[in-house]
Amino acid sequence: MKAERCHKVLNDNSLVTSMWSDAAEWGGRTWFPAMMEAGLEYFAWVYSPNIFSRLSTDLTIQHTTRPVVLTFDNIDTAKAWLKQM
């Protein structure tokens, strides 16, 4: 992220098919802060249609204070949001 001066991420989980809640706290408390330190400001997260994956995403966001993270049900809406940020 630093090398590319990237400040926005589009995370498409639309093909994720399982729960990954064991990593949720780590994602919110370790991974997102490291990404912010590398320059991340905006993170668009496209939900999986799998309910357990969606719950894992929501749990990760509960452990996240920064960056700005928004969830979306489709990739086009997520892309549009990132473009306006």
Side-chain angles (χ1 to χ4, degrees):
M1 291 191 71
K2 285 182 181 180
E4 297 297 323
R5 297 183 182 185
C6 178
H7 302 286
K8 302 175 186 180
V9 168
L10 174 61
N11 183 39
D12 182 4
N13 280 12
S14 60
L15 299 179
V16 175
T17 60
S18 62
M19 177 182 282
W20 47 271
S21 60
D22 291 347
E25 186 173 353
W26 174 85
R29 297 186 193 268
T30 302
W31 186 70
F32 269 122
M35 295 282 283
M36 283 221 26
E37 194 168 308
L40 180 64
E41 295 177 26
Y42 303 100
F43 193 90
W45 200 325
V46 180
Y47 275 126
S48 164
N50 178 284
I51 188 66
F52 297 111
S53 178
R54 291 173 75 100
L55 292 171
S56 298
T57 297
D58 291 341
L59 185 57
T60 301
I61 293 169
Q62 288 177 11
H63 292 289
T64 304
T65 56
R66 291 176 54 213
V68 176
V69 179
L70 263 63
T71 55
F72 301 88
D73 287 315
N74 68 69
I75 198 163
D76 292 331
T77 307
K79 285 180 182 179
W81 175 73
L82 282 176
K83 285 180 181 178
Q84 71 180 354
M85 298 315 290

